[in-house]
Amino acid sequence: MKLTGKWVLITGASSGFGAAAAAAFAREGAHVIIGARRMDKLNETATAARNQGAASVAAHPLDVASTPSVEAFVQWIRQLTPRIDILINNAGGALGLDPVVSGKDADWEGMVQSNFLGLLRMSRAVIPLLPHHDGAWILNVGSVAGHGVYEGGAAYCGVKAGERSVTQALRLELNGTGIRVGSLDPGLAETEFSLTRFAGDTARAAKVYAGVQALQAADIADAMVWMATRPAHVCIDEIVIKPTDQAAFHKVHRRPSN
Ligand code: 8X3
């Protein structure tokens, strides 16, 4: 399926996978609509997408953790286009790596709001704009954390497992409409993910990727474009992508530094 002239909506597009996806779909000639909380960063994404040849680019503040913000965002979209062809639910992330016994309410609630409820809110608001043909698509960005657990990951792994449940429920609910639904679940990826998880502690974040040839945001955006461009009758339900160096959560090959 060609992406030229398709309307693609990407949440969490201020950095990482979302920003890379905006550039990648722009290169395909799509209309790119992006949302995120940080407008300064979002505007940088918009400029980059314009430079990549998007049919058009529009950016607007969006906090998926807030129903009024999601509703205002979709009202704004309705002034641009009556239809969205592709929704990429990318917003979310991890907050903290504490074991349950010392977990913080703010971290847990933040992760549930952005990763899990945010996904539900965005899907509810945008599904009415998706056409029932032509391979319309909802892509939820999950994680390998939705396929297993690790110490300190109870809440994050929980919401990412929840994301898979939402994806699978939507797949069932939308069967017969022609709307495709899938999940893309990355492993170790060098984005702002760890910086956010560790509240801006750059040294701790850098350790996560030390010696590992981690995934880059562009690798994930590349896979998104591949999934989106399958023929309309082909739905990629779920993809797990990890760095070659990461065989499992606790099995990561680290190269010695020179
Ligand atoms: C990010 C991957 O392994 O840090 O979603 O949970 S992991």
Side-chain angles (χ1 to χ4, degrees):
M1 195 184 91
K2 291 243 179 294
L3 296 173
T4 318
K6 297 285 182 191
W7 289 85
V8 181
L9 163 53
I10 305 164
T11 69
S14 52
S15 68
F17 302 153
F25 282 88
R27 271 195 295 280
E28 300 292 317
H31 294 277
V32 176
I33 299 178
I34 50 178
R37 287 174 301 178
R38 296 177 295 174
M39 273 313 285
D40 52 339
K41 301 281 289 177
L42 196 65
N43 285 330
E44 288 174 20
T45 301
T47 302
R50 278 185 200 106
N51 292 338
Q52 294 292 331
S56 69
V57 180
H60 196 74
L62 170 66
D63 179 3
V64 299
S66 152
T67 295
S69 174
V70 168
E71 285 173 355
F73 186 79
V74 173
Q75 279 302 109
W76 166 76
I77 287 175
R78 284 179 185 278
Q79 292 162 21
L80 301 173
T81 170
R83 70 184 261 180
I84 291 292
D85 298 293
I86 295 176
L87 166 63
I88 301 183
N89 280 314
N90 166 70
L95 299 171
L97 190 61
D98 297 310
V100 173
V101 71
S102 54
K104 319 256 183 324
D105 283 301
D107 289 346
W108 293 347
E109 285 163 14
M111 285 187 278
V112 171
Q113 280 293 347
S114 61
N115 294 276
F116 186 68
L117 296 177
L119 170 60
L120 287 167
R121 283 186 189 102
M122 280 305 298
S123 302
R124 178 177 62 190
V126 175
I127 284 169
L129 302 185
L130 293 170
H132 287 192
H133 57 82
D134 276 342
W137 188 42
I138 300 175
L139 174 68
N140 296 329
V141 177
S143 168
V144 290
H147 296 256
V149 293
Y150 49 85
E151 301 94 324
Y156 181 65
C157 296
V159 293
K160 286 302 184 182
E163 176 272 330
R164 290 182 73 206
S165 297
V166 173
T167 301
Q168 290 163 15
L170 281 173
R171 182 85 169 89
L172 294 170
E173 291 174 9
L174 296 175
N175 191 35
T177 63
I179 299 172
R180 306 179 291 176
V181 184
S183 182
L184 172 51
D185 301 346
L188 265 183
E190 206 165 353
T191 62
E192 289 182 3
F193 176 84
S194 292
L195 202 59
T196 304
R197 164 168 265 178
F198 300 130
D201 183 337
T202 45
R204 198 174 172 199
K207 270 195 195 150
V208 173
Y209 310 109
V212 182
Q213 201 168 350
L215 298 173
Q216 302 299 308
D219 299 323
I220 298 306
D222 190 37
M224 289 177 183
V225 168
W226 179 80
M227 292 171 84
T229 50
R230 295 314 84 210
H233 70 284
V234 176
C235 179
I236 309 295
D237 280 20
E238 186 168 85
I239 284 195
V240 177
I241 303 179
K242 295 187 293 184
T244 306
D245 281 345
Q246 184 185 33
F249 290 127
H250 295 92
K251 183 75 178 171
V252 175
H253 175 66
R254 294 188 191 271
R255 295 146 205 268
S257 54
N258 298 325

